Amino acid sequence: TVAMEYSAAQAARLTGASASQIAYWARTGLVVPEGRPARYSFRDLVALRVVGALLAAGLAPARVRRALRYLIDAGEDVTGLRIVTDGDRVWACRDDGQILDALSHGQLALFVAVDSYAAEVAAEVATFERERDEFVADLRRAGT
């Protein structure tokens, strides 16, 4: 199957960016179309949305360019990442829980999934309480 490609006007409509923004981002290297000239792939559309969000969050265009370039050059599938910024730094969160600092040469950061730990602890507590209740019931039956 042939992958769909989109014109700059279609990309603008699909991403919420203006056609002039998309043209500027292509000229400055923020998002250069993967496809034929001025034809955007799905990955490009995702990158356009990411760029718009990072710029709206206050990140300087040069930092956005550097972060995206690192992620793409490192072979990261940008469509499968969650990007987080504080307006200065950019982290890319993978589905497996790893976090990359996209502006510090991809340094891995520790990501702790507290919600999954809480669920595990809740299951352990439930098991403990059930076993304790069974033990107490067995003692009562043995004593009667």
Side-chain angles (χ1 to χ4, degrees):
T1 62
V2 176
M4 288 289 298
E5 290 184 335
Y6 305 90
S7 69
Q10 290 169 324
R13 180 172 175 226
L14 292 167
T15 63
S18 71
S20 60
Q21 283 175 312
I22 290 174
Y24 176 76
W25 295 344
R27 278 194 316 274
T28 60
L30 271 174
V31 179
V32 179
E34 287 181 346
R36 295 175 287 151
R39 301 299 291 180
Y40 291 83
S41 69
F42 176 78
R43 287 173 63 128
D44 294 331
L45 296 180
V46 172
L48 289 169
R49 280 257 176 121
V50 168
V51 165
L54 291 174
L55 291 172
L59 206 63
R63 293 180 74 76
V64 172
R65 182 180 306 104
R66 211 168 88 216
L68 281 179
R69 181 60 34 221
Y70 171 77
L71 294 170
I72 291 166
D73 289 351
E76 294 292 336
D77 180 5
V78 178
T79 62
L81 296 174
R82 291 177 188 217
I83 306 290
V84 179
T85 185
D86 62 0
D88 181 48
R89 299 178 68 187
V90 177
W91 297 275
C93 308
R94 295 177 179 159
D95 284 341
D96 64 3
Q98 292 184 346
I99 298 178
L100 297 172
D101 186 335
L103 292 173
S104 293
H105 308 293
Q107 178 180 347
L108 275 176
L110 177 63
F111 176 70
V112 177
V114 175
D115 59 343
S116 66
Y117 288 162
E120 290 171 9
V121 170
E124 291 292 331
V125 166
T127 299
F128 171 79
E129 288 177 353
R130 187 181 66 250
E131 290 173 353
R132 182 197 60 208
D133 292 346
E134 289 171 4
F135 178 74
V136 170
D138 286 346
L139 285 176
R140 286 188 180 141
R141 278 192 295 272
T144 56

